Amino acid sequence: MNGVPPEHALMLACGLFLLGMIGLVVRRNIVFMLMSVEIMLNATGLAFVAAGAQWGQPDGQIMVMLILAMAATEVAVGLALVLLLNRKFKTLDVDSASTMRG
Amino acid sequence: MLDLLWLVPTLPLASYLVLAVGGKRLSRATVSWLGAGSVGLSACLALALGAGFLASPPPDHRFVQVLWIWMNTGGFNPAIALQLDELSLLMVLVVTFVGFLIHLYSVEFMADDEACSRFFAYMNLFVCSMLILVLADNLLLLYLGWEGVGLCSYLLIGFWYKDPENGRAARKAFIVTRIGDTAFAIGLFLLFVHLGTLTIRDILELAPAHWAQGSGMAVAAAALLLGGAIGKSGQLPLQVWLPDAMAGPTPVSALIHAATMVTAGVYLIARLHVLFSLAPAVQNAVAVIGALTLLLAGFSALTQRNIKRVLAYSTISQIGYMFLALGVGAYSAAMFHFFTHAFFKALLFLGAGAVIMALHHEHDMFKFGGMRKEMPLVYRTFLIGSASLAAVPFVTAGFYSKDLIIWESWSAPGGNPWLWGAALVGAFITSIYTFRMVFVTFFGEPHGHAAHGPGIRMTLPLVVLAFFSIVAGFLELPHTMGNVTFFSDLMHTVLPAAEAENGRGNELLFQVIAAAVSLSGILIAYLLYYRRSAVPERLSEIPVIGTLGRLWFIGWGFDWLYDRLLVRPYDWLARVNRRDVVDAVYGAIAYITLGFYLLFSRTQTGKLRQYAAGIALGAIITIAVVIFL
Amino acid sequence: MEVTFYISSAIALLSTAMVITRLNAVQALLYLIVSLLAVALVFFELGAPFVAALEVIIYAGAIMVLFVFVMMMLNLGGSALEQERRWLNPRMYLGPVLLALALGGEMALMIGNTGPAAHAIATVPPKEVGRSLYLVYPVAVELAAMLLLAGLVGAYHLGAGKWTNKEEEITPGFRDRKAPGNPAIKERSI
């Protein structure tokens, strides 16, 4: 197949990342914030694959796999924490858990 | 033999260290033995050294013992070196001998005091510092001794520190002499910068080579050194500390403020006489200051009631005589008067101390009275001392030394009739106040009873000092009375002799005048005070004399003047600056930091989304820095 | 065949935009799954079939499913929708969008500065990936395994449900066994 210019893939990754970032800052629901983090992680993985594709090496894909493992872990633990937070504060508002301030 | 010179200041120093470290644990007897014994040993050693020195003088009449090099920075390497020549030998002998007698006296005087070891520690440190001062080979070491005696003076004046008045007097002494010390230090800097050395011998040789007579540098250096001497010796205008320094124990007043420390200024000027002869204006100033001071202090002594204050003003006045002699160029006359003055003034102080102690620390002489019968030995020795102070003719040492000065103030190259007149008036007043003191204290009806007479340790020094108050004068008899010139011959190798210029033939006449003056002073004192007549009170009721009397009582108002001129503005400044302007700078730093803290702590909101936004912002800025810079 | 790439990237961007603007959590999750599938296709286009498969199986198939399960378990209800409506107003988007545009501009600058691709995209077969993984990066594999183990243990521990009975319960992770008279604390081995 002809080459997809990696810059475009990088641009796509960039765009996805930015969308994830917007979601992270805008949304107040914890679950949505976690989802936005997932989006950002995915975008990073895309950037790695694009880089690996440019050089024709498997290192990019390996990095993506590691990111995958990390994302899985993070989601597992994060969602467990969300459950606990929900039980404590009776809400999923992230701004309610803001006692560590000053 | 002369190599043992270093032991002379070191023995008291060692005693000081022992007493300072472990004095509280030692018994009173041990403390007394250490304190007095170390000075006694130094005295014996000094006598032996003196005998050896005089018997076979070293080459150039000067023995230098270099102990070690003090510091070596950039070509400036003063040494801890002691020099022994006739002048320093004289000073050492006086300091150690009179010092030993006073230490012996204080063993009994301070017997009831629980801080005995502290007292002897300070006294020994004082003796050590004074010895370093007079034995120093270079001006830096001299300055060390200078500062040391100033420190010990402060410590000893404020010895009974629980009374804040004593602390105030000690502080006043220290601060006023500090002014002189600062002038001295600046003079040292000047000497070093221009002559490149601080060794006394080198200065005395280089100064005439580098500076012409009357040149600005010489005048500046001499004037600054004079400033230091004025401070330490209590001359005009820095004499205000000496009367208040009587707050200390009487042996302190005897040792420090009569015999030794206050004469350090005289020693300094005598030692550096070359500088002063290079600056005739300054030397004239020395004479004028001496004359004025002796008059001022004499008048003040006339009206005092506290016996120690009378003696304090008397000391200021007598040192004025020494300055007068130095100023007219009669150096050895000044040293001779220092020699005799040490004996009779110490004697007077110790005698006064005996009376004070016997009457339970009463200081007002008008409350004494009749001590002649209660304390006969003290009376007789005190009488001898007073006679010496008043320069009773022929039999007292004071006559010969003071008379010499009065004669030289007329006839020496720098002398003039005004100085002679001032010296004469001063002698007249000296007799009056001295015998006023004697008559009021020892004659008349007793007001109190002596608790107990002084013991042998107090009376022995009195007797010895009385002996010397008579005999010491015979070392130097004037031309008309035998022409013994032992003393001036001794000093001749160190100090230039004063050649009499005017009226050499009239020496006898002047002596007769001086003798008449002193005797008439005694007569007047007798008339006014022997019978406790009402004449003094009636005199003081006459308005002019009354105001004069009050003026003299407060020391011609110098305290008042300095208070208004210097102390109050400084207090005001300190009060206004209570918040401390300079401290505000540091406070501002803290305040700004606090401001930043308050600013940045606002960013810790605990809200996760804001943190995320912050991270994004940071990433933007960092990448921007990477791209654009 | 690049047109597939551009179509799938468009789908990815669009569905991601939908994710972050939905009110209903489950809807957002479903859009997210779509986005992940589109990205998997992009992976395929970039010559990485292995991670494309992994993306579908693990990311979309396991992680997102986990998300969905937890959302179901939370059982939020209509009040949650009301809440979301209140929280999300267009004014909120202003700042983040600006930030995103700034960051995007910088990234575009950086990407634009790099030169054009040297050669065409070559497919990296799974065999290559496997060989590289176990021969060159075995340590990474081990580390990933340890990470997963830690996550497993942590998730189990946190979700075990011991902290549910008391109202004034302290934050997770801290257990006061020694407080006397504490009936709810059962004996556990950990």
Side-chain angles (χ1 to χ4, degrees):
Chain A
M1 63 193 89
N2 290 350
V4 175
E7 291 90 19
H8 294 195
L10 279 178
M11 292 298 297
L12 172 63
C14 183
L16 287 176
F17 186 85
L18 292 174
L19 283 173
M21 195 182 80
I22 294 176
L24 182 62
V25 181
V26 166
R27 303 303 299 244
R28 238 166 118 160
N29 194 326
I30 286 187
V31 182
F32 278 94
M33 288 175 80
L34 276 176
M35 277 192 253
S36 309
V37 171
E38 293 306 310
I39 299 172
M40 290 202 284
L41 284 170
N42 189 32
T44 320
L46 176 55
F48 270 109
V49 167
Q54 174 162 18
W55 298 106
Q57 288 176 345
D59 293 352
Q61 299 189 37
I62 290 169
M63 196 60 208
V64 172
M65 290 195 333
L66 296 176
I67 290 179
L68 220 48
M70 190 219 81
T73 312
E74 175 228 335
V75 162
V77 175
L79 286 174
L81 286 175
V82 165
L83 288 176
L84 287 172
L85 214 64
N86 190 31
R87 277 185 207 140
K88 178 162 168 60
F89 290 107
K90 307 290 179 295
T91 172
L92 283 176
D93 181 3
V94 76
D95 283 348
S96 67
S98 62
T99 50
M100 279 180 69
R101 65 167 153 254
Chain B
M1 177 66 199
L2 285 178
D3 289 334
L4 294 176
L5 182 60
W6 66 278
L7 271 180
V8 174
T10 313
L11 285 171
L13 182 66
S15 166
Y16 158 72
L17 287 172
V18 171
L19 288 173
V21 169
K24 289 242 180 63
R25 282 173 286 227
L26 298 170
S27 74
R28 200 172 285 273
T30 318
V31 166
S32 313
W33 273 98
L34 261 179
S38 61
V39 182
L41 270 179
S42 273
C44 294
L45 195 57
L47 275 170
L49 283 172
F53 185 89
L54 291 172
S56 57
D60 203 22
H61 285 267
R62 187 165 165 266
F63 170 72
V64 176
Q65 184 176 37
V66 179
L67 295 176
W68 70 86
I69 303 287
W70 190 349
M71 61 182 102
N72 198 343
T73 66
F76 174 55
N77 43 4
I80 307 281
L82 307 173
Q83 78 169 2
L84 188 65
D85 58 6
E86 282 86 353
L87 179 60
S88 53
L89 179 64
L90 171 71
M91 301 286 300
V92 166
L93 283 174
V94 169
V95 169
T96 52
F97 188 62
V98 175
F100 168 63
L101 291 172
I102 295 177
H103 275 74
L104 184 60
Y105 177 94
S106 2
V107 169
E108 189 172 324
F109 192 81
M110 302 295 285
D112 295 328
D113 203 309
E114 74 263 7
C116 195
S117 66
R118 185 160 61 98
F119 180 79
F120 277 105
Y122 291 157
M123 291 284 270
N124 282 346
L125 184 64
F126 170 81
V127 170
C128 166
S129 303
M130 189 72 201
L131 287 170
I132 289 180
L133 200 162
V134 300
L135 282 173
D137 172 52
N138 56 55
L139 285 176
L140 195 62
L141 191 59
L142 195 149
Y143 195 62
L144 173 73
W146 191 272
E147 294 293 309
V149 297
L151 170 70
C152 294
S153 170
Y154 166 78
L155 289 172
L156 284 165
I157 295 175
F159 182 70
W160 292 312
Y161 57 86
K162 299 206 170 92
D163 182 355
E165 277 306 305
N166 297 344
R168 205 187 57 82
R171 275 200 307 279
K172 181 173 175 183
F174 193 75
I175 292 175
V176 173
T177 51
R178 205 92 196 93
I179 300 174
D181 295 348
T182 311
F184 189 14
I186 299 179
L188 285 187
F189 298 153
L190 215 137
L191 281 173
F192 181 66
V193 165
H194 285 270
L195 296 179
T197 174
L198 282 180
T199 316
I200 295 180
R201 186 57 141 209
D202 296 341
I203 288 181
L204 295 181
E205 276 165 19
L206 287 172
H210 278 81
W211 293 335
Q213 183 131 21
S215 71
M217 275 299 133
V219 169
L224 287 168
L225 291 175
L226 176 62
I230 287 178
K232 200 60 101 183
S233 293
Q235 299 296 290
L236 230 61
L238 293 175
Q239 88 282 15
V240 292
W241 64 273
L242 238 171
D244 286 348
M246 297 299 119
T250 309
V252 170
S253 308
L255 183 60
I256 298 186
H257 306 123
T260 45
M261 181 182 101
V262 291
T263 54
V266 178
Y267 169 74
L268 182 72
I269 297 181
R271 182 58 92 185
L272 295 174
H273 59 89
V274 171
L275 280 176
F276 285 89
S277 51
L278 280 178
V282 179
Q283 192 161 19
N284 254 356
V286 173
V288 170
I289 287 174
L292 282 175
T293 308
L294 71 92
L295 282 177
L296 257 54
F299 281 119
S300 286
L302 214 44
T303 56
Q304 300 296 321
R305 294 178 68 98
N306 183 331
I307 190 172
K308 285 177 70 173
R309 275 181 93 95
V310 175
L311 291 173
Y313 278 110
S314 166
T315 304
I316 300 176
S317 179
Q318 295 305 305
I319 298 181
Y321 271 99
M322 293 181 218
F323 267 61
L324 175 61
L326 290 171
V328 299
Y331 298 104
S332 80
M335 296 317 291
F336 188 45
H337 193 56
F338 151 74
F339 182 58
T340 58
H341 172 261
F343 292 122
F344 62 69
K345 193 47 71 66
L347 169 61
L348 286 173
F349 265 108
L350 295 186
V355 174
I356 289 173
M357 208 173 84
L359 288 177
H360 308 292
H361 290 279
E362 172 62 60
H363 283 77
D364 187 342
M365 0 182 233
F366 286 88
K367 297 211 173 66
F368 290 166
M371 284 292 116
R372 181 168 52 119
K373 300 190 192 68
E374 308 260 353
M375 310 172 78
L377 184 74
V378 175
Y379 162 65
R380 283 191 219 115
T381 52
F382 199 89
L383 188 63
I384 293 176
S386 306
S388 212
L389 175 57
V392 166
F394 302 122
V395 291
T396 58
F399 168 69
Y400 293 106
S401 61
K402 190 185 289 190
D403 187 67
L404 186 58
I405 293 183
I406 295 178
W407 162 241
E408 293 287 352
S409 70
W410 174 274
S411 68
N416 69 56
W418 290 104
L419 293 175
W420 174 78
L424 217 51
V425 172
F428 181 58
I429 301 203
T430 304
S431 311
I432 299 182
Y433 70 66
T434 307
F435 275 87
R436 164 178 179 262
M437 187 170 56
V438 170
F439 290 135
V440 169
T441 306
F442 290 100
F443 288 79
E445 291 308 309
H447 282 213
H449 283 277
H452 53 84
I456 181 69
R457 282 167 300 189
M458 282 170 82
T459 49
L460 182 62
L462 289 175
V463 169
V464 173
L465 287 171
F467 173 71
F468 277 100
S469 296
I470 299 178
V471 160
F474 298 140
L475 282 175
E476 179 85 3
L477 298 177
H479 300 283
T480 53
M481 297 178 203
N483 204 17
V484 174
T485 52
F486 180 62
F487 193 86
S488 53
D489 284 341
L490 195 64
M491 290 292 118
H492 187 58
T493 52
V494 182
L495 302 169
E499 308 94 28
E501 276 180 6
N502 352 332
R504 197 184 185 122
N506 295 339
E507 195 172 342
L508 186 59
L509 173 65
F510 282 86
Q511 282 161 354
V512 167
I513 296 178
V517 156
S518 82
L519 286 174
S520 54
I522 300 176
L523 182 67
I524 294 194
Y526 174 82
L527 290 174
L528 287 180
Y529 290 104
Y530 184 67
R531 295 271 179 227
R532 290 295 179 91
S533 66
V535 177
E537 282 89 33
R538 273 201 251 122
L539 265 181
S540 65
E541 273 158 30
I542 303 174
V544 173
I545 300 189
T547 357
L548 264 183
R550 271 190 297 279
L551 181 67
W552 294 341
F553 183 72
I554 59 171
W556 293 81
F558 272 92
D559 279 321
W560 177 89
L561 182 67
Y562 289 152
D563 184 57
R564 289 287 185 290
L565 204 59
L566 298 170
V567 176
R568 292 210 182 174
Y570 188 77
D571 270 346
W572 172 83
L573 203 61
R575 234 185 332 193
V576 160
N577 197 28
R578 200 186 308 137
R579 295 290 178 80
D580 198 356
V581 168
V582 176
D583 207 38
V585 173
Y586 302 109
I589 295 178
Y591 184 71
I592 292 176
T593 312
L594 186 68
F596 274 115
Y597 153 72
L598 287 171
L599 195 63
F600 286 127
S601 66
R602 300 261 178 85
T603 60
Q604 275 238 299
T605 54
K607 296 202 163 69
L608 189 57
R609 294 183 300 143
Q610 291 175 0
Y611 292 171
I615 295 175
L617 192 60
I620 294 176
I621 294 174
T622 312
I623 298 178
V625 165
V626 169
I627 295 182
F628 296 118
L629 288 178
Chain C
M1 290 262 270
E2 305 96 6
V3 69
T4 324
F5 168 75
Y6 290 108
I7 295 176
S8 49
S9 44
I11 296 176
L13 282 169
L14 207 59
S15 59
T16 309
M18 299 292 273
V19 169
I20 64 179
T21 52
R22 293 305 95 196
L23 301 172
N24 192 331
V26 181
Q27 282 181 0
L29 279 169
L30 294 173
Y31 274 112
L32 184 55
I33 293 179
V34 168
S35 166
L36 291 173
L37 292 174
V39 168
L41 203 49
V42 168
F43 283 169
F44 188 75
E45 288 300 317
L46 286 174
F50 184 56
V51 285
L54 279 184
E55 179 94 353
V56 175
I57 298 172
I58 297 178
Y59 220 137
I63 296 177
M64 289 303 129
V65 169
L66 175 60
F67 252 108
V68 171
F69 283 169
V70 170
M71 286 312 301
M72 301 297 187
M73 200 157 74
L74 281 177
N75 205 6
L76 291 175
S79 62
L81 277 176
E82 266 311 306
Q83 213 176 30
E84 290 290 335
R85 195 166 291 130
R86 262 185 294 117
W87 287 343
L88 267 189
N89 42 358
R91 212 169 35 84
M92 301 273 297
Y93 283 95
L94 181 62
V97 166
L98 281 175
L99 276 178
L101 284 176
L103 199 53
E106 282 174 356
M107 288 209 251
L109 257 174
M110 288 201 298
I111 295 174
N113 283 344
T114 67
H119 44 71
I121 306 280
T123 313
V124 182
K127 188 170 174 188
E128 276 298 320
V129 177
R131 174 172 293 152
S132 176
L133 190 61
Y134 286 105
L135 291 182
V136 183
Y137 298 114
V139 180
V141 176
E142 298 301 324
L143 287 177
M146 275 198 267
L147 181 64
L148 287 167
L149 179 63
L152 175 65
V153 169
Y156 162 74
H157 197 54
L158 288 173
K162 284 194 302 308
W163 295 280
T164 58
N165 294 336
K166 310 219 8 145
E167 264 19 78
E168 60 282 340
E169 196 48 72
I170 43 188
T171 55
F174 181 82
R175 292 173 51 207
D176 190 3
R177 277 175 195 240
K178 299 184 184 62
N182 207 345
I185 303 291
K186 309 186 196 60
E187 282 302 315
R188 305 288 301 211
S189 57
I190 296 174

